[in-house]
Amino acid sequence: RPPISTLFPYTTLFRSLEFHQVDAFSDRPFAGNPAAVYRLEHWLDSALMQQIAAEHNLAETAFVVKEGAAWRIRWFTPTAEVPLCGHATLASAHVLFECYGEPGERIDFIYTGGTLAVSREGDRLVLDFPCQRPTPIAVPEGLAEILGQTPVAVLDAPQLLVLLESESAVRACCPDLRALARLPRNAVIVTAPGQAVDFVSRNFAPAVGIDEDPVTGSAHCILTPYWTQRL
């Protein structure tokens, strides 16, 4: 057990801030994608929220504040605030419904891009996400060497979408994370047709402190319209 002198600063800082950690996209603990959720009465300083997120060291930490009938939401990785996050939004809805007794069957989250709606459907939470259709671009120079795999195609969106030849190529992808972080997009999605499912994907975002995200909801804003057109 650490000495009290080590614990004291954290006890002082977090004494009045209750938080919940939720494993999203899973039906069991220690699986899926974990997120920390803070329900605040008012906004903290952005630098402080970033420090809190770094302390948790999860893919995302979400902060929510009530604004009228809706909730404004912000998401932080261990190193940066990000414009959109799926699993931490679902985690926030779960916390508001189950831990704080939020009434009704739907929660609207306000973010910089508009509004995200999360609805209760039986035991599930359903998130209505924006559609971000990617556009084909030339393969960036050196990308094959960075990924250790040869791209079949590359498409541009808020994240870079890289099509690989097969599911096995996606599984075998072992990118140079330092080089990946220097690309002009915060995250790179690699994807391919699946063997037992429609498609598979992995998401790398070292530029914002996430070497690889376990499950990435926001990536499916791009993946779903792309594979819908193909399938």
Side-chain angles (χ1 to χ4, degrees), residues 26-183:
S26 178
D27 59 0
R28 63 188 188 278
F30 311 114
N33 200 354
V37 178
Y38 284 80
R39 175 187 179 273
L40 303 174
E41 296 301 321
H42 53 81
W43 289 112
L44 305 173
D45 181 76
S46 294
L48 176 57
M49 290 190 287
Q50 184 64 74
Q51 288 177 311
I52 292 171
E55 178 75 10
H56 284 294
N57 199 32
L58 300 172
E60 260 88 18
T61 297
F63 299 86
V64 297
V65 172
K66 193 71 175 288
E67 290 189 3
W71 292 83
R72 184 166 294 277
I73 187 167
R74 294 171 67 182
W75 310 274
F76 291 79
T77 75
T79 64
E81 185 172 5
V82 293
L84 185 63
C85 176
H87 81 280
T89 303
L90 286 170
S92 298
H94 173 81
V95 167
L96 291 175
F97 279 134
E98 302 300 329
C99 302
Y100 294 105
E102 184 73 6
E105 298 301 311
R106 167 175 160 161
I107 296 176
D108 289 329
F109 290 102
I110 304 167
Y111 74 115
T112 54
T115 301
L116 302 172
V118 180
S119 302
R120 285 197 278 205
E121 294 187 8
D123 293 334
R124 288 182 174 272
L125 293 177
V126 178
L127 172 59
D128 185 11
F129 240 0
C131 177
Q132 299 172 337
R133 297 189 182 278
T135 55
I137 61 171
V139 177
E141 185 178 354
L143 184 60
E145 290 75 19
I146 291 172
L147 295 176
Q149 298 289 332
T150 302
V152 174
V154 178
L155 298 95
D156 194 24
Q159 302 180 43
L160 201 64
L161 182 64
V162 180
L163 178 66
L164 299 182
E165 185 177 14
S166 64
E167 179 174 325
S168 60
V170 172
R171 291 183 181 275
C173 187
C174 186
D176 178 339
L177 294 172
R178 289 188 178 182
L180 205 66
R182 294 194 291 268
L183 292 176

